[in-house]
Structure formats: structure tokens, C-alpha cells
Amino acid sequence: MNKDALTSEFLEALTNASRKIRTAFNQQVTAHGLTYPRARVLLRLAKKQGMTQTELACELELEQATMVRILDRMEEHGLVERRPVPNDRRAKLIVLTQRGTEQATLVVSIGHAMRLEIFADISADDITAGIRLLNKLGERAVLLETPRDPA
């Protein structure tokens, strides 16, 4: 197989695996009454509490309006609170409530169980090589995001 066909097959396999993992994760969190977007927010806040709405939207690669709607629903369900940012009346810090922390712990455990199953028979060396390759692809893809000067 030539390199172009091989790289095309690789990216197709990567996209397919990513979609299947996302679908499985979505099914798992939905079974516990969460949505995929809320689960993503819970995971991010479990790692870093007290982010602003803008920081959170940026890290999750969501539009600000979408982030606001997700947080509105999460606040209604008692998962997060918006707190004022000292010295900035417009900004709000997003923090997990007690219930949000419990749900975040559940989502983290779902992710952990999925990783154990998905990577069960894959060696640490293969995983390390995969990480290196994906990081290199990500670095190169970023270069494609910036328009190049045709000169």
C-alpha cells in the first residue's frame, strides 16, 4: 500500500475509533442521567475548579452561547454555581457543587473503566508510540490552521 493510501486509512481508522469511543462514553453517561456536553464540563472542572465561563468554553472548544446554555442547565440541576470574579463584574467563576462533585467523580470513574477495557491488551510501548504519533500529527495540523503566505 502506498503512503497516501496508508495515511488515508490511518486517519479514517482514527476518526472511526474516536467516534466509537465517544458513542460508548455517551451511552455510559446517559445511563446515569447526564448528557455528553455536561459530562465534558464535569470532567474539565474536576481537573481544574474555578475557571471562568470563557476559559471553560475555550478549553472545550465551544461557542460562548453554547457554553452559557450548558451551564444554565447544569446550574438548574444543582451541578455548578457561578461565582463573581474579584475585580471583574462581568466574569463568573464556575465551581462544582457537592452534587456536581459527586457526578464528576462518577464521570471520572466511567472514563477510567472504559480506558481499562479499551487498552486492556495494548502494551505500554504501543500506547507511548501512539501518543508520540498523535502529538506529532496535532502539531502539524495546527500549522495548517494558520493561512500561509502564498509568496
Side-chain angles (χ1 to χ4, degrees):
M1 184 180 294
N2 69 35
K3 188 171 180 181
D4 186 52
L6 190 59
T7 58
S8 178
E9 185 175 327
F10 176 84
L11 290 177
E12 183 65 32
L14 176 63
T15 300
N16 193 24
S18 178
R19 188 175 68 260
K20 287 179 179 183
I21 291 167
R22 177 184 169 155
T23 298
F25 181 75
N26 188 45
Q27 289 173 349
Q28 293 284 324
V29 297
T30 300
H32 292 280
L34 291 167
T35 64
Y36 180 75
R38 289 180 197 163
R40 288 183 67 213
V41 171
L42 289 169
L43 280 173
R44 182 57 54 207
L45 290 174
K47 290 181 182 181
K48 185 179 175 188
Q49 275 270 40
M51 299 174 69
T52 66
Q53 288 181 189
T54 302
E55 291 170 330
L56 192 54
C58 184
E59 288 206 16
L60 296 174
E61 297 182 343
L62 295 172
E63 295 292 326
Q64 192 71 313
T66 301
M67 186 80 264
V68 168
R69 285 191 302 275
I70 292 168
L71 292 173
D72 285 347
R73 297 297 88 69
M74 292 181 76
E75 199 168 30
E76 289 171 8
H77 286 91
L79 300 173
V80 297
E81 290 178 359
R82 289 177 169 113
R83 295 186 182 160
V85 174
N87 304 322
D88 188 345
R89 294 183 330 197
R90 298 169 298 155
K92 301 289 183 202
L93 294 176
I94 309 303
V95 295
L96 293 171
T97 62
Q98 175 67 34
R99 184 163 189 266
T101 300
E102 292 165 4
Q103 291 291 293
T105 300
L106 171 68
V107 173
V108 168
S109 70
I110 289 169
H112 177 73
M114 286 182 63
R115 285 190 306 278
L116 287 176
E117 194 164 331
I118 290 169
F119 291 100
D121 61 349
I122 301 173
S123 74
D125 287 343
D126 284 348
I127 294 168
T128 300
I131 291 168
R132 268 195 316 271
L133 176 59
L134 291 172
N135 285 338
K136 188 176 288 188
L137 294 175
E139 290 166 8
R140 291 180 179 176
V142 166
L143 297 175
L144 298 174
E145 293 175 5
T146 307
R148 295 184 193 181
D149 187 3

